[in-house]
Amino acid sequence: MEAKAVAKHVRISARKARLVANEIRGYDYKEAIDILRFTNKGASSMMINLLNSAVANAVQMNESVDPANLYVKKIYVDDGPIMKRFRPRARGRASRIRKRLSHITVVVSDSDKKAK
């Protein structure tokens, strides 16, 4: 059984979030939470919330599911829209600031179907 959680328009660049996502792909739920808890990146707190949401979705879909038997089957980070801002510069000019957003998707599944 699979369950999915999606966070859209997250205020972090996809490149930075992918560094954290690559660390937990394929790990069990508890191990992934431990890895994220000790990862010194801004995206780790967002990933913890999203992973907890995916596990809650799995329990909501089927109450007989044990969260200890779930693992991170897929996790991927896509680019979102870019907020464009301007900063004043010298001699009356302006430079563009691109504030990047991302969409993060986590899919958890039962570990008995895990292929090693």
Side-chain angles (χ1 to χ4, degrees):
M1 188 205 71
E2 291 184 358
K4 180 168 85 167
V6 180
K8 291 195 171 196
H9 306 290
V10 178
R11 186 57 193 92
I12 192 166
S13 70
R15 184 176 179 183
K16 292 178 184 178
R18 281 187 196 115
L19 291 172
V20 178
N22 291 338
E23 292 294 319
I24 62 169
R25 188 175 290 119
Y27 278 98
D28 292 334
Y29 166 64
K30 293 293 184 185
E31 290 180 51
I33 291 292
D34 288 340
I35 290 170
L36 290 173
R37 199 168 278 143
F38 291 104
T39 300
N40 192 16
K41 296 280 186 184
S44 62
S45 62
M46 297 173 204
M47 298 277 182
I48 288 173
N49 291 338
L50 194 59
L51 189 56
N52 286 333
S53 178
V55 170
N57 290 341
V59 171
Q60 183 69 28
M61 287 169 49
N62 187 359
E63 293 183 9
S64 65
V65 171
D66 184 19
N69 293 335
L70 295 174
Y71 76 102
V72 181
K73 183 174 183 179
K74 296 180 197 171
I75 183 167
Y76 51 92
V77 182
D78 297 325
D79 289 324
I82 299 172
M83 295 190 299
K84 295 177 178 79
R85 302 291 183 259
F86 291 96
R87 176 174 293 277
R89 303 308 256 177
R91 298 171 61 183
R93 296 180 182 163
S95 64
R96 179 177 287 180
I97 295 176
R98 303 173 76 194
K99 298 185 178 225
R100 297 174 183 268
L101 303 176
S102 58
H103 304 316
I104 306 171
T105 305
V106 176
V107 178
V108 294
S109 180
D110 291 341
S111 61
D112 59 343
K113 298 177 185 175
K114 186 175 180 181
K116 293 189 177 187

